[in-house]
Amino acid sequence: MKKPNTVICFAAAACFALASSGCGFIGIIPLAAGIGIGLSAGGDDKEEIGPEPTNPEISGVTPALGPAAGGTDVDIHGKRFKSGAVTVFFGSSQATNVLVMSGTWATCKTPAHAEGTVNVVFTNPDGQSASLANGFSFDGTLPGPATLFNAIAVYASADLMLTWTNPTDADFAGVTVRRSMTGNPVTPQDGIEAYNGNGTVFTDADLDPGETYYYTVFAYDDAGNFSSGVSDSETVNSPPVLKANPPRFSGQGPGGAVLLTAAVSDPDGAVSGVTVNLTAFAGSAAQAMRDDGLMGDAQASDGTYSYVLTIPSP
């Protein structure tokens, strides 16, 4: 039985026929140039593999959710991206800041768009494009604001404690607390960020004593929408001022006394007491001084504090 001929065609090259017979291989016969690669073995069966595709493809967009106001930085992943005059559309709106980083990765900034889910279309400079159906969702619903926001000076420190209550939105993601020393921040970008997270208490530590700090808290959702801001301000406590007076002696040697006095003032009126370190004499580093002279008055306030030290025996 005669075996069928096999025909091999190379893209944009000549075709050759491998002639065979029942006795085996006979030779190679050149044929006319053809396109594609084909294998035939008699009969009508034939499989052809066409040229490599040149159009781009989109496999994913990250993130796939953003605010309707736009401005979300996204990564587009796929194949056969080309540099040049590339365009990216989210629905009917064109993205900005489009950069092709490689043949498989591009970046852009989303445009403003009505709320909803849209197709993402990437177009190469040669006009070939790719579309990712339902590739991005725009969220136009703002989260509710945080409530009960308070800034509180922490006693005897240079700290301010901030407290608030988070909104109850299902897509609530967190809050950002913005801080300024010139007035309450108006937008989530004003001032500097003091806190970002989903907690309800934060201590802003090691601030400048006597300075007033202004805060605004903004809630945000999963899409990156920000709520309206809620503001408060507070002045950091100033440390007490203490001025020690020269000691006054009465009597000589053991059994004599030394009167120690110091003038104490506090701009915040938060003096709670004064101690004197007498480790070298009386064995204690925290002997309490008394307010207003030698009357034994322990009142905490501004004024003159005193302590009488009896000179111990050697």
Side-chain angles (χ1 to χ4, degrees), residues 19-261:
S20 61
S21 69
C23 299
F25 176 71
I26 297 176
I28 299 176
I29 304 173
L31 301 176
I35 297 178
I37 299 174
L39 298 177
S40 65
D44 295 329
D45 293 337
K46 183 176 182 181
E47 178 182 357
E48 292 193 3
I49 302 174
E52 283 291 323
T54 59
N55 60 295
E57 294 181 16
I58 301 176
S59 59
V61 174
T62 306
L65 174 67
T72 302
D73 292 318
V74 301
D75 294 319
I76 303 174
H77 298 281
K79 297 178 181 179
R80 295 179 290 278
F81 296 163
K82 297 179 180 179
S83 298
V86 171
T87 61
V88 176
F89 276 81
F90 288 77
S92 59
S93 300
Q94 186 171 356
T96 58
N97 298 1
V98 180
L99 293 174
V100 175
M101 312 303 292
S102 71
T104 60
W105 173 34
T107 65
C108 66
K109 191 178 292 290
T110 59
H113 196 284
E115 187 171 50
T117 299
V118 300
N119 298 341
V120 179
V121 179
F122 180 99
T123 303
N124 273 330
D126 60 7
Q128 296 191 88
S129 63
S131 178
L132 181 65
N134 300 322
F136 192 87
S137 297
F138 289 94
D139 180 357
T141 303
L142 303 183
T147 56
L148 303 177
F149 182 50
N150 288 291
I152 305 166
V154 179
Y155 176 73
S157 77
D159 302 344
L160 296 178
M161 184 173 66
L162 311 177
T163 63
W164 62 90
T165 299
N166 288 327
T168 58
D169 300 63
D171 60 349
F172 166 76
V175 300
T176 177
V177 178
R178 309 297 295 190
R179 182 183 75 195
S180 173
M181 296 182 70
T182 59
N184 292 114
V186 177
T187 73
Q189 292 75 41
D190 289 347
I192 65 171
E193 188 172 75
Y195 173 81
N196 193 321
N198 56 13
T200 58
V201 179
F202 171 69
T203 298
D204 205 4
D206 300 325
L207 303 174
D208 294 333
E211 294 290 343
T212 299
Y213 288 81
Y214 301 85
Y215 298 90
T216 303
V217 57
F218 300 90
Y220 58 88
D221 61 20
D222 290 332
N225 292 303
F226 286 93
S227 72
S228 57
V230 180
S231 301
D232 198 12
S233 62
E234 184 59 276
T235 301
V236 180
N237 285 328
S238 297
V241 178
L242 184 147
K243 180 181 179 181
N245 299 314
R248 293 170 56 186
F249 295 89
S250 62
Q252 298 291 328
V258 179
L259 174 62
L260 305 176
T261 61

